[in-house]
Amino acid sequence: MESVETRRVRAVILTTQRTGSTFLVDCLGSHPEIECASEILVGDPDVPARRKGGHFKKVVKLTNFITSGAFLPGHRMADYFAGGSARVRMFKVMYNHLANPFALRYLREQEDIRILHLRRHNLLKVYVSKLLMPKRAQVQVFSPVDAVQVHVNPAEAIASMRVSRRLYERYERLFERHRRLPVTYEELFDGQQLSTATAVRISEFLDVAPHPMKSGIIKLNPESLRDMVVNFQELADAVANTEFADMLEGC
């Protein structure tokens, strides 16, 4: 019989877009005791994603979804957790994946699954980063690229931030019976390595030995909103009068 000390750990990264989740998946996968896949609920974790856009990308995504069996999310997750050989087996779950009630029910019922709940504190940067995505040929890059800018509607940005905050709080409540570790985008990066403090916290949470973790992914966008937003002052004036005024700090 498997002892408590050697029992495998099942975990997920629960998150949404533009939170550094791809970087984190890459880092965790570099740990010798962790197998970490990306979005298994929309495709096969063993099939590399193709970096093509437009209609072709949609066809490939639909094909992966059908052939992977992801339309049966409970079976898909159970099969994934049963595979591999590492002490920790985990993958990324986006909030929108849990719009599927069967996926949500499976994760809620499996209370031994640990939840690494990843968010980005600066919700304004999340919103701007989403707006910048269509302006780039690639969502993730492995070498430096030129910065791009976007015009932001202040009212739409504020409404989006409120939705994002409510979503995070909703999933905290839904998984309140699970072991959870909150992690923020802002504490992830030390160049292309996972910061030492965050690596230690996550290792302890997953019951593995601390180990340096790194990724080949390079951050796309500059840190300053001034460098990303064409109408920065208009946006800043509007946000300064809301509960999100702290999102402007350092920008």
Side-chain angles (χ1 to χ4, degrees):
M1 183 176 179
E2 193 176 33
S3 69
V4 173
E5 289 75 16
T6 60
R7 186 180 302 154
R8 294 183 66 188
V9 173
R10 304 192 299 171
V12 299
I13 300 169
L14 178 63
T15 191
T16 188
Q17 290 181 313
R18 316 314 297 157
T19 58
S21 61
T22 302
F23 172 83
L24 181 56
V25 167
D26 214 25
C27 287
L28 291 171
S30 73
H31 192 291
E33 295 184 85
I34 300 173
E35 290 171 343
C36 188
S38 189
E39 301 169 41
I40 72 168
L41 294 179
V42 293
D44 191 326
D46 298 318
V47 176
R50 302 189 186 186
R51 291 187 171 85
K52 295 204 179 265
H55 179 70
F56 180 79
K57 182 177 180 180
K58 293 178 182 178
V59 171
V60 169
K61 194 169 184 177
L62 178 60
T63 300
N64 284 344
F65 178 79
I66 294 171
T67 58
S68 70
F71 54 90
L72 298 171
H75 293 295
R76 184 79 180 101
M77 290 185 276
D79 287 346
Y80 175 77
F81 281 132
S85 58
R87 172 164 171 73
V88 177
R89 184 84 160 158
M90 62 190 302
F91 61 92
K92 178 168 69 172
V93 179
M94 308 294 277
Y95 290 164
N96 61 292
H97 298 165
L98 300 185
N100 183 324
F102 298 105
L104 179 59
R105 184 174 69 182
Y106 175 85
L107 286 177
R108 291 193 72 196
E109 290 178 347
Q110 304 292 314
E111 294 182 7
D112 68 297
I113 294 175
R114 303 181 192 187
I115 308 292
L116 200 164
H117 201 174
L118 174 65
R119 66 170 174 163
R120 190 168 183 169
H121 169 72
N122 195 317
L123 296 175
L124 185 55
K125 287 186 176 181
V126 172
Y127 182 74
V128 171
S129 184
K130 288 178 181 178
L131 291 182
L132 289 170
M133 285 173 63
K135 293 179 172 287
R136 298 188 181 279
Q138 294 174 279
V139 176
Q140 306 293 339
V141 297
F142 298 85
S143 58
V145 296
D146 293 332
V148 295
Q149 291 185 310
V150 68
H151 184 279
V152 178
N153 181 307
E156 292 178 0
I158 293 166
S160 177
M161 288 191 285
R162 287 174 177 151
V163 169
S164 295
R165 182 164 286 179
R166 287 197 299 269
L167 274 175
Y168 180 84
E169 292 168 352
R170 175 175 184 259
Y171 284 105
E172 275 289 285
R173 291 192 300 270
L174 284 172
F175 292 102
E176 62 185 0
R177 296 175 66 89
H178 291 65
R179 283 186 63 180
R180 301 187 313 285
L181 178 69
V183 177
T184 66
Y185 171 99
E186 287 79 6
E187 60 188 339
L188 291 181
F189 299 91
D190 180 6
Q192 288 178 264
Q193 287 197 330
L194 188 62
S195 73
T196 300
T198 301
V200 169
R201 286 179 61 222
I202 292 175
S203 296
E204 291 176 350
F205 177 69
L206 297 175
D207 295 336
V208 295
H211 191 276
M213 296 184 245
K214 62 182 179 179
S215 168
I217 293 172
I218 293 175
K219 293 171 64 177
L220 279 172
N221 298 321
E223 286 297 327
S224 174
L225 282 170
R226 293 179 185 273
D227 297 330
M228 293 186 276
V229 179
V230 174
N231 60 322
F232 173 77
Q233 196 56 55
E234 176 192 13
L235 176 64
D237 290 344
V239 172
N241 294 315
T242 72
E243 67 271 31
F244 301 109
D246 63 317
M247 305 295 169
L248 296 169
E249 293 177 4
C251 293

